Amino acid sequence: MLHAAGALRAMAQLASSDFLGRTRLLILQSTPFCNIDCGYCYLPGRGDRARMDLRTVRNAVEWVYTHGLAADPLTLYWHAGEPLSLTPDWYEQAIAEVADLIPVDARIEYRLQTNATLIDDRWCALFLTHEFRVGVSLDGPAWLHDMRRRTRNGRGTHAACMRGVRALQRHDIPFHVICVVTRDTLRAPDAMVEFFLDEGIDRVGFNIEEIEGINISSSLAQDGARAEFARFLDRFLECAERSGRLQVREADGLLNWLRSPEFGQVRGNEQNVPFEIVTVTHRGDIATFSPELVGISDARFGDFTVGNVASTSLDEILTSKRFQSLNEEIEDGVAACAAQCSYFKLCRGGAPANKLAEHGSFRATETMFCKFTEQTVADVVLGRLEAGLQSGPEIQTGIRSCPFT
């Protein structure tokens, strides 16, 4: 087994005791339904209005604690379609179910990713009461956001999203923004910085437009896009640094990892190590590895779920040929990355979902996703750091001066 402690064990030796405290992130897909229809979304079934039964919520949380998987703290992350398609009352009941069964001394943190179009004062009251960490999907100014983030009848969603953002700000609820980067984004770093600063948004992360799930193409899969992304990120970071008011996930995350005592000492990451992440669908089906695998199917592995929280034990999963074959192929891909890639200490083997989507196999190595999000990010951030060390506190990039100070 290839895991975050760096040990490689034979498949026959896998046992539930190997996974004690392993799961840091429990993703509950409360509903597959989404109230909007983004052009680059990887999720299938976004028109399905099914919802997770409260008993399934209970079973899911009970499953990770009963099998000793839950880390402390455990992050419970509501994700999938649009979580706020359900009601605040549903979440109050779900949280009550969770509180009723977790160990007395256990810590649990709530997180939620939303398109923000449905946030109002009632949602803000829920977030405050239970100290939710909120992520907002927002692609920048309206002209850019509304290109791809639209309703099913083709209308832009920017105005509704910003109403939700202002509700969060009105209630002093901390949040961060995840911005999907397309080829159009790369042409507008200054407009992006100006927008976030003008709107009082101080934490931003970038997800590239990925080839993943049902999204089988990307505007970034073109000649020159990677170089454009490097210029975009360098310019955005320059302006963010000069403003003193804008944190960028990519820079902070990389530098924090380089400072970690675990840097260079571990193999595998949360997407390619079994049960670091546990995803439970609205039906109670269990998946691990990349959450983006849930809902898609493959000729060899089926739908990538490995059991159900109502009926399947961890030992049954570990001894199943389906899980073992899946884990083995993912491990082979990690080993290949370790042998070939000079960036391995940063990404620790890449994301299985992207390998499968781009190359048709988990044994693949380099993907467009890792070229952008690992390699280019590292080159830009470390290049800026090196330039700063050479020239003093002001990083000289040769780009026109940044007005956002």
Side-chain angles (χ1 to χ4, degrees):
M1 176 187 65
L2 187 62
H3 63 81
L8 187 63
R9 301 178 181 176
M11 293 300 297
Q13 295 177 328
L14 283 176
S16 57
S17 58
D18 296 323
F19 298 90
L20 296 176
R22 175 66 59 82
T23 303
R24 298 187 180 95
L25 184 61
L26 173 62
I27 299 175
L28 298 187
Q29 298 188 334
S30 51
T31 177
F33 179 76
C34 187
N35 62 318
I36 67 175
D37 191 25
C38 300
Y40 44 59
C41 188
Y42 63 87
L43 290 167
R46 300 192 303 276
D48 184 352
R49 292 182 176 271
R51 63 171 58 187
M52 181 178 280
D53 186 87
L54 292 172
R55 181 63 196 175
T56 302
V57 175
R58 187 180 185 92
N59 288 341
V61 176
E62 195 168 31
W63 193 87
V64 297
Y65 279 102
T66 298
H67 291 96
L69 287 167
D72 191 53
L74 174 70
T75 296
L76 197 162
Y77 195 4
W78 303 102
H79 205 286
E82 170 50 50
L84 303 193
S85 297
L86 304 187
T87 66
D89 288 344
W90 186 92
Y91 284 96
E92 288 286 6
Q93 294 176 64
I95 291 168
E97 292 284 345
V98 174
D100 185 51
L101 60 87
I102 64 173
V104 174
D105 57 347
R107 294 174 296 163
I108 193 160
E109 299 174 348
Y110 291 103
R111 185 183 300 182
L112 180 144
Q113 185 67 31
T114 176
N115 60 43
T117 61
L118 301 174
I119 295 177
D120 58 16
D121 291 344
R122 287 189 67 206
W123 283 113
C124 289
L126 176 83
F127 300 155
L128 286 169
T129 298
H130 300 288
E131 299 180 332
F132 270 71
R133 294 169 60 187
V134 179
V136 171
S137 300
L138 172 61
D139 290 351
W143 66 268
L144 186 56
H145 177 100
D146 285 345
M147 283 185 182
R148 307 295 287 277
R149 300 188 65 82
R150 294 174 172 267
T151 64
R152 286 180 175 79
N153 62 10
R155 295 180 180 177
T157 62
H158 190 267
C161 177
M162 291 308 301
R163 284 196 296 272
V165 166
R166 293 184 185 109
L168 294 171
Q169 293 171 329
R170 189 167 62 248
H171 289 273
D172 293 322
I173 297 172
F175 67 96
H176 64 275
V177 160
I178 293 179
C179 172
V180 175
V181 174
T182 66
R183 195 70 180 266
D184 293 300
T185 313
L186 303 184
R187 303 184 180 101
D190 285 26
M192 295 285 285
V193 174
E194 183 175 19
F195 168 76
F196 290 126
L197 292 176
D198 285 351
E199 296 297 339
I201 295 167
D202 57 12
R203 291 186 296 163
V204 177
F206 295 113
N207 287 0
I208 69 162
E209 181 187 6
E210 302 174 43
I211 297 173
E212 188 174 59
I214 64 170
N215 191 50
I216 60 174
S217 64
S218 169
S219 62
L220 300 178
Q222 302 173 19
D223 291 343
R226 185 176 173 187
E228 285 185 43
F229 177 67
R231 291 191 291 271
F232 166 85
L233 184 61
D234 186 69
R235 175 64 175 171
F236 193 97
L237 289 174
E238 179 187 20
C239 293
E241 290 165 6
R242 290 180 183 274
S243 76
R245 294 184 284 137
L246 188 56
Q247 294 178 294
V248 182
R249 179 190 64 186
E250 281 62 34
D252 293 346
L254 174 63
L255 295 177
N256 287 339
W257 177 233
L258 292 175
R259 296 185 191 105
S260 169
E262 292 189 332
F263 176 73
Q265 305 302 310
V266 296
R267 278 179 86 176
N269 60 50
E270 63 181 6
Q271 291 199 51
N272 58 43
V273 174
F275 299 105
E276 290 250 350
I277 300 174
V278 171
T279 300
V280 179
T281 72
H282 70 280
R283 297 186 182 93
D285 295 326
I286 303 164
T288 185
F289 305 114
S290 299
E292 295 83 2
L293 291 171
V294 177
I296 65 172
S297 60
D298 177 83
R300 293 169 301 146
F301 297 109
D303 64 4
F304 297 106
T305 60
V306 293
N308 189 281
V309 291
S311 58
T312 314
S313 71
L314 178 58
D315 282 331
E316 288 174 316
I317 293 172
L318 296 177
T319 57
S320 70
K321 291 190 180 299
R322 185 183 188 195
F323 169 79
Q324 290 181 357
S325 297
L326 177 61
N327 190 38
E328 182 179 20
E329 185 168 315
I330 289 173
E331 285 182 2
D332 288 347
V334 173
C337 287
Q340 299 175 24
C341 185
S342 60
Y343 293 83
F344 181 77
K345 290 181 180 179
L346 296 177
C347 78
R348 292 166 289 151
N354 295 100
K355 292 183 177 186
L356 183 71
E358 294 187 35
H359 299 297
S361 172
F362 295 122
R363 291 191 172 93
T365 53
E366 188 177 74
T367 63
M368 183 191 78
F369 176 77
C370 71
K371 288 178 184 177
F372 279 77
T373 64
E374 298 291 348
Q375 298 177 17
T376 304
V377 167
D379 291 345
V380 170
V381 173
L382 297 181
R384 292 186 58 77
L385 182 62
E386 183 178 10
L389 293 173
Q390 292 174 352
S391 61
E394 290 292 325
I395 298 177
Q396 305 299 320
T397 64
I399 306 178
R400 63 194 182 283
S401 62
C402 181
F404 312 115
T405 57

